[in-house]
Amino acid sequence: MGDAAVQRAAGGGPFRLLIADDARDSRELLVKLLGPLVDPAGAPGFELREARNGQKAVTAWQEWQPHLIWMDIRMPVMDGMAVLRWVKMRKLSTKVIVFSALTHRGASQTLDALMHGASDYMAKPESGEGPSSAIEAIEVELVAKIKGLATGGG
């Protein structure tokens, strides 16, 4: 995933990615997967920030204007759907990937999210998947989605 097109925003600076999820484990997993792409010395790469609920995601957007938000739909304080409406009302160019369970309710929420402006979605790993296979599946799918959105696809 060292492809420069993935790591850099259109203007040449770092690609800013906001991770919004109330589950600390999910946020930590994404930071672990994407963190190696961020140069500790501050060289251009992914710049990551985290938000533990939708309101914190909105505040982070206002302060930082990420290129992409990777977001859970179900969060306290302000859920992902409310954040999507906020993004859509302001006609922001920020792309949003929603993270949802593949249950009947999760599928319905995901379709609603896509209809309300989400750029894409990812399924949460099923409980039967082992941790390493779930991480590998997320990494492969997430890399493809971010690459597509960062290079103008999606």
Side-chain angles (χ1 to χ4, degrees):
M1 187 154 142
D3 187 336
V6 176
Q7 297 178 21
R8 299 180 71 62
F15 190 86
R16 295 182 302 277
L17 173 60
L18 175 63
I19 301 165
D21 197 325
D22 59 315
R24 183 171 50 181
D25 291 348
S26 294
R27 292 191 317 266
E28 288 175 353
L29 173 62
L30 283 173
V31 168
K32 180 181 176 184
L33 293 174
L34 299 173
L37 300 174
V38 179
D39 187 316
F46 276 113
E47 189 176 333
L48 304 174
R49 288 198 186 170
E50 300 175 47
R52 65 178 183 263
N53 63 53
Q55 183 60 53
K56 299 272 186 198
V58 167
T59 299
W61 192 95
Q62 291 169 326
E63 295 170 353
W64 187 56
Q65 293 86 42
H67 299 100
L68 176 67
I69 302 172
W70 187 92
M71 179 172 59
D72 191 8
I73 294 175
R74 296 177 63 191
M75 293 184 290
V77 183
M78 181 181 197
D79 67 15
M81 291 302 295
V83 175
L84 279 170
R85 287 189 293 274
W86 184 88
V87 168
K88 189 174 183 178
M89 279 180 31
R90 285 154 184 80
K91 298 180 177 154
L92 305 177
S93 62
T94 299
K95 304 290 185 187
V96 179
I97 297 176
V98 295
F99 193 54
S100 178
L102 282 180
T103 62
H104 178 67
R105 180 176 179 196
S108 176
Q109 289 175 327
T110 300
L111 289 174
D112 284 347
L114 291 168
M115 289 175 23
H116 285 90
S119 304
D120 208 337
Y121 74 95
M122 281 186 61
K124 288 187 176 182
E126 296 183 28
S127 59
E129 288 185 62
S132 61
S133 64
I135 290 170
E136 186 176 318
I138 289 171
E139 183 175 24
V140 168
E141 186 176 359
L142 180 63
V143 167
K145 289 178 184 295
I146 291 174
K147 184 173 183 175
L149 292 171
T151 57

